[in-house]
Amino acid sequence: MSESPNKEPFNKHSGTRTSAPGGLLASLRQLLFTLLETAQVRLELLGTELEAEKRRVLDALVFVAVALVCLALGLVLLCGTVVLMFPDHLRFAAAAGLALLFLGGGAGLLGLARRRLHHPRGMFHASAKELARDRGQQ
């Protein structure tokens, strides 16, 4: 008896070829396994990319903090230079004027920051709004 090129077993009683036990089920399991494995790889890649992005942002924040310290020091030295340029009897008024200027600017910026934080839109606001619209929950 020669072997058939078709690898499916031959059923002697019905005279037809039968698929291997669990053939379709095994294929579906393999497909599901492959899909899960692909999803896992994608999630690991996403995690790696998020970690790299977090490090990039933290590096930038450190640079910004150092730059702000340098700028603040430069501003203090510039204010000292401006105050020293005034005659002795006007130095106090110059220092007070600069102090009021910076205090007013700082208070204004703090108020702006409070308003921005008081009305948060939430993370992924636009995406959540689109998903709600897709579900018909506008």
Side-chain angles (χ1 to χ4, degrees):
M1 191 187 235
S2 68
E3 261 188 60
S4 168
N6 193 346
K7 298 191 179 193
E8 294 179 348
F10 187 75
N11 187 340
K12 293 180 184 176
H13 298 292
S14 66
T16 60
R17 299 216 177 267
T18 60
S19 59
L24 180 59
L25 207 52
S27 294
L28 287 175
R29 273 192 216 133
Q30 184 62 35
L31 177 64
L32 181 62
F33 176 76
T34 303
L35 288 173
L36 288 174
E37 190 175 35
T38 302
Q40 180 182 3
V41 169
R42 297 293 189 260
L43 285 173
E44 288 173 359
L45 179 61
L46 179 65
T48 302
E49 288 177 346
L50 282 172
E51 182 68 26
E53 186 65 17
K54 180 180 79 169
R55 288 179 187 221
R56 187 185 70 80
V57 168
L58 286 176
D59 285 348
L61 286 174
V62 167
F63 292 144
V64 165
V66 171
L68 286 174
V69 167
C70 290
L71 287 171
L73 233 132
L75 193 59
V76 167
L77 292 173
L78 178 65
C79 288
T81 303
V82 168
V83 168
L84 289 175
M85 289 173 62
F86 279 87
D88 286 340
H89 66 280
L90 294 177
R91 285 186 183 160
F92 180 75
L98 286 171
L100 288 175
L101 175 74
F102 287 117
L103 287 173
L109 288 172
L110 280 176
L112 180 65
R114 285 186 71 195
R115 273 181 269 143
R116 294 283 302 256
L117 291 174
H118 186 57
H119 300 290
R121 296 183 65 134
M123 204 168 172
F124 306 119
H125 174 73
S127 297
K129 188 175 179 181
E130 282 297 315
L131 287 172
R133 191 174 73 165
D134 290 344
R135 290 190 311 248
Q137 297 178 357
Q138 190 73 12

